[in-house]
Amino acid sequence: MAALTLYPQSERLPRGERITFNLYMVSALLLFVLMMTLGLIMRMGQGLWLNVPPDLFYRILSMHGAGMVGTMSLATTAVMWFFLRKYVTLHLWAFLANYLLFLTGALIIIGAIFIGRYAGLWTFLYPLPTHPMGMWENSAAACFMVGYLFIGVGSLLFYLDAAAGIIARYGNFGRAMGLQWLFGGTIDPDHPKTVVAGTMVVIANSLGILAGAVVLVMYLVAIAYPGFTMNALYAKNLTYWFGHMYINAAIYMGVIAVYELLARYSGRPYAISRPFLWSWAASCVFVIIVFPHHLLMDYAQPRWVSVTGQVVSYLAGFPVFLVTVWGALNNIHRSGMRWTTPARLMILSLFGWAAGIVPAILDGTIGINRVMHNTQWVPGHFHFYLLLGVLPMVLALLYHVVGSRRGAAPDSAADRIGVPVYLVGGMVFALAFLDAGHMSVARRMSSHLPAWIMNDRVGAIGASLVLLAMLYFAARIIAGLLRAPSVESAANAAA
Amino acid sequence: MSSLLRTLLLDLFIVAAGGATLHAASDGLRAFTTESARRLAIREAPRALPALRLQADDGSFIDLRDYRGRWLLVDFIYTRCQSYCSVLGGDFAQLQDRLAQPLAQGRLHLLSISFDPQHDDPARLVAYRRRFADRGHGWSAARPVDAAELATLTQAFGIKVIADGQGGYVHNASIMLVDPQGRLVDVFDAGAAGVVAGAVQQWLLR
Amino acid sequence: MSQQRHARARAAIALLTVVLLATPPLRRTLEASMTLQMLVQLPLLALLGAWLAAALPARLGTALAAWDRGGCSGLLLASVAALPWMLPRALDAAVDLPWVALVKFAGVPLLIGAPFALSWPRMGFVLRGVFCMEAVATCFRLGWLYLVAPQSLCSNYLIDDQRRLGQWLLAIGLALCVALLGKLLAGRFDTRGSGADPPDRP
């Protein structure tokens, strides 16, 4: 079947596209390494292996949060683009514009944090950015908001171009998501899962960016006019809506790689099904209304909003993940899977995503969240499925692309060490956070109590391993991406 | 010239022209409301006040020019006010305390002018001052002698009065500072007597 | 041909309506509150401008098209011309100063409504999408601002009028958002203009 061709012709990138894709991924890999280094510095600072002054710590924390979320989105946007362009017309100018706007926004944010000394964290919760108590200038906070606006506009342009292409080919979003097959009818077996996932992301993240566009401008007004105040509860809800949607969209863009690639490595087709369509349609709705789960500990929130957050967290946790994991396990069970590095990374990613859901669902329970929200349990759960779930999806695609340049999937000895080191490091790192949550270690604190330091050091060791593996992956992939496609790979269209 | 280039050029021109218009319309992006524009204009170019015939609360007829040689704090009131602008009365009473020295020295005077001359006769003006615990010195109230003077008055000071739909008025309640040469030099918000006192003392020192 | 005559008739009606709106009694009615001026009078003037644009002679239309690649210039002109009208002092000035009123009655149809109507057919999906998103976001931002501003921003209008305008703007923003979402999910699109032209290589 055509779907099982390892390196299909439709994925070959013309020169302009290849250069832009490389720009995205090389930048993303370098940024990941940089952000991971910042993370390691923080863990070592908390564990007293490094002396990190508190004000610097919070600046680093702000950079790490904004940088990781932004970079994850950058990388997974390229993942979505790489596959979606096979099915609909995507324009290079939109793909490039997103990159340039992202870079501009990122530079502004870096300046706001390390020159302007903004340290209000990536969630910029009102009224903290406007009440710096002398720690940073209002202009630094304003620059931070402007940086986010640039990044949001860039994403919006990419999504609008994707929407144009999707609508031109499928008529409207409903048909692109296969909603007409939800209750019956024969599903077109060639209907790409990428299009379903991509459409869901376009819808959800456009709404999130809209929320961000509104609240960020209101922040700018509040900064320019100190007498102007806004309702903090509305501001925080909109802020979390924006941020929540942004990182979730990144996850859902990343999973496209699994849908596209797994079948090729297992050798068994991974068909589209009605449960698949249902789960993506349901998730589209759920991801939009679940954002109150970020504010469960906020006693000012109306009860019905928080309850919605909990109920939908439970509902949303299961569909896509169940269908994906069930579908994936089914796909690889006794399939004669080729255990090359891309395949290993994909299985790792599914494990990371699945296992990471468990602490997330726990944290989405109001009673638990009230006690756990301000502990390191929260970074525990999101590092679990971002570090062990989404990032491996990106790495899997990158290894796959590197393989396509030379005609065979990479699986060197170093690769085969890199993946376990990453896995072990990531598990130690994430479990250290979860254990810290269990011990009620406060999150977002630069100075830790003596009783917590052992845990921080274990986390730092885990982080070092992850960073080591990531350094290797980055070097390996960048070298592979920059190498021109070989003549044999051009002829090697079939696996 | 390709249409792309033409469009680019035209767009640059539009942005430049639009930017210039917005800049001009907002006094250099500093004043987006009429009130802030008014205050900015006054602070940048003190406005000479014309002759204005008023009737003081002791019944005598005076002119605004009679106050030349002294600093003057002016607010606009109407004695029937039941809402926010009544805070002005309290402000002036507080200012009588905070600025007692310049008031006693005769360098400063507080003047409340009514923009409702039909209703606010001298007796009502006196009652108004008493209602706000007038300390008894340095504060007088007055009303314009007729509708024409009222028009000149509101125009000269830039006061906007509109009916509030409940029988009263809403106006840009503020306290204005006139220098000894009879020029309007500064405008303050109501409800912050401390700020006004501080600013006035700065002006007096110059 | 009859389409052209139809367009000219509409333009004539539009011109007449603009003149009528400028007469004192209609002005007084529509400028009596902030809500009416911002949500009825100004949009009406823009719409009338769109009708006026429909009667533009074909030759002039083609000449303009050369300067309006992808509908950019028209959209930009309309947006830039709309900005000063978002200043509270502009609404005040339009009521108080005759020359500003003249600028409003001439400028809003000719510099906002007409350019937008001329450019819309040329705009690609992405540009239309950006415009729609910004329109919705602006409704929410202004609505929120008018609801929470501690003072009346326009000297000519009362603060409860301002609050009511804020509520209307939020409602309109929400309605627009729902309508757009509905169209994207289940609507029909003219795919000729969507997707925009391929990237230009000068």
Side-chain angles (χ1 to χ4, degrees):
Chain A
M1 280 178 82
L4 298 185
T5 313
L6 198 55
Y7 306 122
Q9 273 295 104
S10 54
E11 277 174 17
R12 287 186 54 72
L13 297 176
R15 192 160 174 275
E17 278 77 350
R18 196 175 70 242
I19 292 173
T20 313
F21 181 79
N22 282 356
L23 269 175
Y24 265 82
M25 291 311 203
V26 170
S27 307
L29 287 166
L30 293 175
L31 281 169
F32 277 131
V33 166
L34 206 59
M35 294 302 127
M36 282 182 182
T37 310
L38 290 181
L40 179 60
I41 291 174
M42 286 193 284
R43 290 309 264 146
M44 290 176 74
Q46 288 171 331
L48 294 182
W49 271 339
L50 262 186
N51 178 25
V52 182
D55 50 351
L56 181 62
F57 180 91
Y58 294 111
R59 270 176 250 151
I60 292 177
L61 186 55
S62 305
M63 187 71 247
H64 178 84
M68 276 302 191
V69 172
T71 308
M72 195 63 81
S73 176
L74 183 75
T76 52
T77 300
V79 171
M80 173 167 156
W81 173 87
F82 183 84
F83 291 112
L84 189 62
R85 58 184 291 277
K86 292 191 296 181
Y87 309 108
V88 304
T89 309
L90 295 180
H91 293 102
L92 188 58
W93 65 258
F95 192 45
L96 187 59
N98 178 32
Y99 177 77
L100 292 172
L101 285 166
F102 175 88
L103 211 59
T104 311
L107 285 171
I108 294 175
I109 289 172
I110 293 171
I113 293 175
F114 289 111
I115 302 174
R117 296 174 303 123
Y118 170 81
L121 304 190
W122 84 276
T123 43
F124 63 101
L125 292 176
Y126 189 77
L128 180 59
T130 55
H131 285 65
M133 296 168 284
M135 297 299 288
W136 60 84
E137 296 300 320
N138 277 341
S139 53
C143 282
F144 188 80
M145 311 294 161
V146 169
Y148 269 174
L149 279 170
F150 268 88
I151 293 176
V153 170
S155 289
L156 187 66
L157 289 177
F158 172 76
Y159 289 138
L160 283 173
D161 186 55
I166 290 170
I167 288 176
R169 171 89 191 262
Y170 295 97
N172 56 45
F173 284 166
R175 303 192 69 82
M177 285 190 69
L179 299 183
Q180 71 273 28
W181 297 313
L182 284 182
F183 294 103
T186 324
I187 304 174
D188 172 7
D190 291 327
H191 191 88
K193 301 197 236 13
T194 299
V195 170
V196 175
T199 308
M200 182 269 212
V201 166
V202 169
I203 295 172
N205 214 9
S206 300
L207 287 172
I209 290 172
L210 178 65
V214 173
V215 80
L216 285 166
V217 169
M218 297 307 279
Y219 265 96
L220 290 175
V221 173
I223 291 171
Y225 295 97
F228 172 80
T229 53
M230 32 178 186
N231 183 321
L233 195 61
Y234 291 154
K236 287 196 289 184
N237 271 287
L238 281 172
T239 302
Y240 270 122
W241 204 3
F242 169 51
H244 155 90
M245 210 76 88
Y246 210 74
I247 191 59
N248 271 276
I251 298 171
Y252 291 126
M253 288 194 280
V255 89
I256 289 174
V258 175
Y259 287 145
E260 286 273 344
L261 295 178
L262 190 63
R264 301 184 210 177
Y265 286 89
S266 69
R268 184 189 285 166
Y270 186 176
I272 194 168
S273 64
R274 224 180 299 275
F276 176 89
L277 293 175
W278 265 104
S279 73
W280 277 91
S283 292
C284 189
V285 173
F286 290 156
V287 81
I288 293 171
I289 61 176
V290 81
F291 71 93
H293 67 196
H294 295 280
L295 284 159
L296 293 180
M297 74 299 172
D298 204 317
Y299 48 80
Q301 190 86 302
R303 192 175 174 75
W304 68 267
V305 180
S306 299
V307 169
T308 307
Q310 175 175 333
V311 169
V312 180
S313 294
Y314 277 70
L315 289 176
F318 293 109
V320 172
F321 137 69
L322 268 179
V323 167
T324 308
V325 171
W326 177 252
L329 285 176
N330 252 324
N331 190 266
I332 62 179
H333 177 62
R334 293 199 183 187
S335 64
M337 175 104 159
R338 280 182 271 220
W339 288 102
T340 52
T341 308
R344 285 201 204 92
L345 285 167
M346 273 191 276
I347 299 309
L348 168 61
S349 78
L350 289 171
F351 160 72
W353 193 21
I357 289 274
V358 177
I361 299 242
L362 283 173
D363 202 34
T365 312
I366 297 175
I368 297 178
N369 190 279
R370 280 226 184 97
V371 177
M372 300 293 261
H373 184 88
N374 287 326
T375 70
Q376 288 189 326
W377 180 268
V378 178
H381 98 248
F382 65 69
H383 277 97
F384 206 120
Y385 61 63
L386 288 176
L387 195 57
L388 293 173
V390 188
L391 187 46
M393 292 175 191
V394 176
L395 292 174
L397 170 65
L398 286 172
Y399 261 94
H400 175 83
V401 169
V402 164
S404 74
R405 302 275 163 96
R406 23 162 261 170
D411 200 30
S412 68
D415 295 328
R416 272 182 268 163
I417 298 175
V419 176
V421 168
Y422 184 88
L423 167 62
V424 168
M427 289 289 295
V428 167
F429 174 69
L431 287 172
F433 269 139
L434 291 174
D435 184 49
H438 159 248
M439 284 199 294
S440 292
V441 174
R443 69 185 280 214
R444 297 170 172 162
M445 294 253 103
S446 67
S447 318
H448 275 191
L449 296 179
W452 304 343
I453 290 181
M454 196 63 235
N455 179 290
D456 297 331
R457 291 183 173 177
V458 169
I461 293 172
S464 314
L465 288 175
V466 171
L467 183 58
L468 216 61
M470 194 65 200
L471 278 166
Y472 167 69
F473 287 144
R476 172 91 167 89
I477 294 171
I478 292 176
L481 285 177
L482 294 180
R483 163 207 217 134
S486 63
V487 180
E488 309 116 51
S489 75
N492 260 356
Chain B
M1 216 198 300
S2 74
S3 74
L4 188 66
L5 195 56
R6 275 184 225 206
T7 306
L8 191 64
L9 281 173
L10 181 59
D11 289 354
L12 283 171
F13 173 74
I14 291 172
V15 169
T21 311
L22 195 63
H23 199 263
S26 61
D27 284 317
L29 299 179
R30 289 175 299 171
F32 301 114
T33 62
T34 316
E35 182 57 20
S36 50
R38 174 175 87 105
R39 296 188 187 193
L40 186 68
I42 289 170
R43 284 196 191 104
E44 293 196 328
R47 195 186 294 187
L49 294 167
L52 280 162
R53 288 178 299 133
L54 305 165
Q55 184 183 31
D57 53 17
D58 60 4
S60 65
F61 288 92
I62 57 169
D63 193 299
L64 194 63
R65 280 177 305 181
D66 299 342
Y67 290 101
R68 296 250 171 117
R70 284 188 278 181
W71 289 85
L72 197 59
L73 278 173
V74 182
D75 67 2
F76 284 83
I77 55 137
Y78 67 109
T79 62
R80 284 181 294 158
C81 175
Q82 304 291 342
S83 59
Y84 185 70
C85 54
S86 58
V87 82
L88 285 167
D91 280 345
F92 266 24
Q94 284 193 50
L95 286 170
Q96 279 181 310
D97 290 336
R98 290 175 186 264
L99 295 168
Q101 213 193 23
L103 281 170
Q105 289 168 345
R107 295 175 64 198
L108 173 68
H109 190 81
L110 307 176
L111 179 65
S112 291
I113 305 183
S114 166
F115 55 79
D116 186 13
Q118 297 228 314
H119 179 266
D120 292 339
D121 58 19
R124 289 212 172 89
L125 291 174
V126 173
Y128 170 85
R129 281 198 288 119
R130 242 184 250 130
R131 195 167 107 215
F132 290 99
D134 169 18
R135 306 317 189 226
H137 58 270
W139 182 11
S140 53
R143 64 170 174 174
V145 295
D146 56 31
E149 282 313 286
L150 175 61
T152 317
L153 186 69
T154 50
Q155 220 214 1
F157 281 90
I159 304 300
K160 200 46 106 40
V161 181
I162 50 178
D164 72 359
Q166 291 168 338
Y169 298 102
V170 162
H171 62 105
N172 38 359
S174 51
I175 298 173
M176 280 148 288
L177 183 63
V178 182
D179 70 3
Q181 290 83 44
R183 299 176 311 170
L184 183 55
V185 295
D186 210 347
V187 183
F188 309 107
D189 276 328
V195 173
V196 180
V200 170
Q201 267 150 0
Q202 294 279 36
W203 278 102
L204 286 171
L205 284 171
R206 284 195 214 176
Chain C
M1 255 319 115
S2 88
Q3 204 184 37
Q4 208 181 31
R5 246 187 300 150
H6 193 69
R8 273 207 221 114
R10 295 241 308 257
I13 296 173
L15 190 58
L16 194 61
T17 316
V18 170
V19 171
L20 273 175
L21 285 174
T23 58
L26 273 177
R27 269 194 74 190
R28 251 195 307 267
T29 321
L30 288 180
E31 287 168 13
S33 79
M34 206 173 163
T35 314
L36 282 173
Q37 200 188 154
M38 246 191 108
L39 294 184
V40 178
Q41 194 193 51
L42 287 172
L44 194 56
L45 285 172
L47 186 66
L48 293 171
W51 280 18
L52 284 172
L56 200 68
R59 236 187 15 204
L60 197 54
T62 330
L64 280 176
W67 294 83
D68 188 31
R69 176 80 184 251
C72 285
S73 311
L75 180 62
L76 196 60
L77 177 59
S79 308
V80 156
L83 270 178
W85 292 110
M86 294 197 210
L87 299 177
R89 60 189 290 192
L91 289 187
D92 277 335
V95 174
D96 296 331
L97 302 171
W99 72 268
V100 178
L102 185 65
V103 169
K104 181 173 78 173
F105 283 100
V108 172
L110 293 175
L111 295 179
I112 304 179
F116 187 81
L118 286 171
S119 288
W120 181 262
R122 290 192 268 271
M123 284 189 230
F125 186 94
V126 174
L127 201 53
R128 291 185 186 183
V130 169
F131 168 74
C132 290
M133 286 280 281
E134 264 306 300
V136 173
T138 304
C139 285
F140 286 135
R141 290 173 194 142
L142 282 180
W144 193 353
L145 188 68
Y146 291 153
L147 277 173
V148 301
Q151 302 159 323
S152 169
L153 294 169
C154 286
S155 300
N156 280 330
Y157 299 117
L158 301 169
I159 198 165
D160 57 326
D161 186 7
Q162 186 171 293
R163 300 253 158 89
R164 219 175 310 124
L165 175 58
Q167 288 170 330
W168 269 106
L169 280 168
L170 288 183
I172 290 172
L174 189 61
L176 270 175
C177 198
V178 170
L180 284 169
L181 210 57
K183 167 128 202 222
L184 286 166
L185 277 171
R188 222 178 285 243
F189 284 86
D190 170 15
T191 55
R192 276 183 307 126
S194 74
D197 296 356
D200 189 23
R201 292 225 169 190

